[in-house]
Amino acid sequence: MKNDFLKYQAQTSPYPLGMEVAYAEGSYIYDSNNKQYLDFVAGVSACTLGHKNEVVNNAIKNQLDKYSHVMVYGEYAQNPAVEYCKLLVAKLPESLNKVYLVNSGTEATEGALKLARRVTGRSQLISCHNAYHGNTMGAMSVMGFEERKQAFRPLLPDVDFITFNNETDLEKITTKTAGIILESIQGGAGFIQPQNDFLKKVRQRCTEMGALMIIDEIQPGFGRTGKLFGFQNYDVVPDVIIIGKGMGGGMPVGGFVASATHMDLLCDNPKLGHITTFGGHPVIAAACLATLQEITQTDLIPQTLEKEKLFRSLLVHPLITEVRGKGLMLAAMTSSPNITNQVILKCQDQGLILFWLLFEGCAIRITPPLTISESEIREGCAIILNVMDALLNQN
């Protein structure tokens, strides 16, 4: 299978890990040799409730028995999507009361950028250095990492960048700015949290200048940081939030949420201002609804902070310089990309799945399912420490 994978399926890097997956359940993935791997990555923060979750799977099966795709988004009322949007809005601040469902996080970014321009009639967009909001052309235009963008230029014009947590840079938000897009916790940059009320200050500046504040919750969202959404940790209400990843419990989905006043502008002047065929797909929406119900009706969200404490107490080692992040969105930092690479690859050999971050080479990604147990956390951290001990002894 690996040979065919490399031959017929387009790759994203020259050296994919290439594990041959047989099945997955709970916090574990099993390869074609039935080797067990403890999953500390959760499909890059997507498998919120672990693998083969019974609640999510039953919701999918039940919906499949009723109907699958019947009409393009926005034309027919379909119960899973309606109920999902209704429940999501009930969990959000009052001004975030209308949801547009799409198929991925990057699509959600595209929709949010269009919405900012439609609402304000302005063109300028502002993002952050080392930001990541997806990989389509509009989303790439607000990616703050030139090395990944240069080969695909020209991209959207009239885009400027600020440094996350740099208050002086907020002067770049002016009456020409349609919107600023930023992550509630920077992901690809190294799981960097806002400091000194930075998000509040962005909010204030946007309000003064009439610009929209767009918060990307694709990675921090859906309980990973101890709140349903990352921005709720920082006492701020954005104009738009972008969602995806963990939203579908492992199914492909995205969305953006804003006020009805703003969102309704996309359906007229021009009509079909934003359209999608499969957005709000009933089977996917059923999975989203089941996931949201499970994480909001149990203690999984507050548990993330207790699990964070356990991770931090265990991940103490001379090769770990710090542990960044919040809840179950953590990055163990080493002093060099070489050490990080060795730890990730050797841990996979030892049956533990870790991964990299996009732009910070020293970071070891730790984003397990919210359902991970204390014993599984201890099991995985022991593997990390044993691998690091071996690396120290080598030197």
Side-chain angles (χ1 to χ4, degrees):
M1 183 167 64
K2 184 175 179 180
N3 289 338
D4 286 348
F5 165 67
L6 296 172
K7 183 176 181 180
Y8 297 111
Q9 190 172 341
Q11 306 302 313
T12 58
S13 72
Y15 308 106
L17 293 172
M19 182 199 298
E20 297 184 15
V21 178
Y23 66 101
E25 185 169 6
S27 300
Y28 294 89
I29 299 174
Y30 299 81
D31 69 13
S32 54
N33 295 315
N34 206 37
K35 181 177 176 179
Q36 173 181 282
Y37 298 83
L38 178 56
D39 185 3
F40 267 18
V41 177
V44 187
S45 306
C47 301
T48 306
L49 301 175
H51 302 286
K52 208 172 79 172
N53 181 272
E54 185 176 5
V55 171
V56 175
N57 281 9
N58 285 340
I60 290 168
K61 293 171 185 175
N62 290 339
Q63 183 57 40
L64 276 171
D65 286 338
K66 295 174 184 175
Y67 59 90
S68 184
H69 177 69
V70 290
M71 178 52 70
V72 296
Y73 180 77
E75 293 296 330
Y76 289 178
Q78 300 174 59
N79 188 70
V82 171
E83 289 301 313
Y84 175 70
C85 293
K86 183 178 178 181
L87 178 59
L88 180 61
V89 163
K91 304 293 182 183
L92 286 167
E94 187 176 351
S95 59
L96 296 169
N97 53 30
K98 208 155 198 178
V99 185
Y100 199 119
L101 297 172
V102 291
N103 305 284
S104 65
T106 193
E107 268 190 75
T109 297
E110 298 286 340
L113 297 180
K114 289 170 67 177
L115 182 63
R117 287 183 164 181
R118 178 67 181 82
V119 168
T120 63
R122 305 170 184 175
S123 62
Q124 187 193 47
L125 299 167
I126 294 177
S127 183
C128 292
H129 296 295
N130 293 326
Y132 181 77
H133 302 287
N135 223 44
T136 47
M137 296 298 275
M140 188 179 289
S141 301
V142 292
M143 180 197 299
F145 197 78
E146 185 60 28
E147 180 184 324
R148 300 280 179 93
K149 296 163 61 170
Q150 190 58 47
F152 304 103
R153 287 191 177 279
L155 299 170
L156 288 183
D158 207 5
V159 177
D160 202 356
F161 292 87
I162 67 171
T163 298
F164 199 76
N165 283 326
N166 185 325
E167 296 173 26
T168 303
D169 277 2
L170 297 184
E171 294 177 6
K172 289 188 175 184
I173 304 171
T174 70
T175 53
K176 295 180 180 179
T177 306
I180 178 169
I181 181 170
L182 66 171
E183 301 150 275
S184 57
I185 297 176
Q186 278 204 304
F191 290 5
I192 298 171
Q193 295 188 67
Q195 303 295 329
N196 299 318
D197 288 329
F198 180 67
L199 293 186
K200 277 188 175 180
K201 291 166 183 173
V202 173
R203 171 70 279 173
Q204 182 179 350
R205 181 69 176 178
C206 285
T207 300
E208 291 169 355
M209 295 295 118
L212 264 60
M213 180 184 187
I214 305 167
I215 291 288
D216 182 340
E217 289 287 347
I218 293 169
Q219 191 161 190
F222 295 95
R224 191 156 287 280
T225 68
K227 298 283 188 182
L228 185 56
F229 293 104
F231 75 85
Q232 293 170 320
N233 289 297
Y234 306 107
D235 192 25
V236 66
V237 179
D239 297 294
V240 187
I241 63 168
I242 301 169
I243 52 180
K245 281 194 185 294
M247 170 179 176
M251 300 296 279
V253 69
F256 55 108
V257 189
S259 70
T261 302
H262 287 167
M263 200 71 88
D264 288 350
L265 295 173
L266 291 178
C267 70
D268 202 10
N269 294 320
K271 293 178 181 178
L272 308 178
H274 196 66
I275 53 176
T276 169
T277 298
F278 290 113
H281 191 285
V283 177
I284 304 295
C288 292
L289 179 59
T291 300
L292 184 57
Q293 288 171 334
E294 186 70 9
I295 63 175
T296 57
Q297 293 173 8
T298 66
D299 63 349
L300 281 174
I301 293 178
Q303 272 187 30
T304 62
L305 300 179
E306 295 305 310
K307 292 171 182 177
E308 175 192 353
K309 291 177 186 176
L310 180 58
F311 269 113
R312 290 185 179 277
S313 71
L314 295 171
L315 291 175
V316 178
H317 193 276
L319 293 185
I320 297 175
T321 59
E322 63 174 314
V323 177
R324 293 184 187 168
K326 189 172 182 64
L328 290 178
M329 183 178 174
L330 301 175
M333 308 299 295
T334 74
S335 60
S336 75
N338 179 52
I339 293 173
T340 289
N341 287 341
Q342 289 190 70
V343 171
I344 291 171
L345 295 173
K346 289 178 185 296
C347 279
Q348 177 161 312
D349 290 340
Q350 298 299 316
L352 175 68
I353 297 172
L354 301 167
F355 209 58
W356 297 266
L357 298 186
L358 280 175
F359 311 137
E360 174 51 82
C362 294
I364 301 169
R365 170 188 288 275
I366 300 173
T367 55
L370 303 194
T371 50
I372 195 163
S373 69
E374 179 180 323
S375 62
E376 290 165 343
I377 292 172
R378 293 183 182 278
E379 175 190 347
C381 289
I383 294 172
I384 294 171
L385 298 179
N386 288 337
V387 165
M388 287 184 167
D389 285 343
L391 287 175
L392 268 185
N393 292 335
Q394 269 180 225
N395 300 324

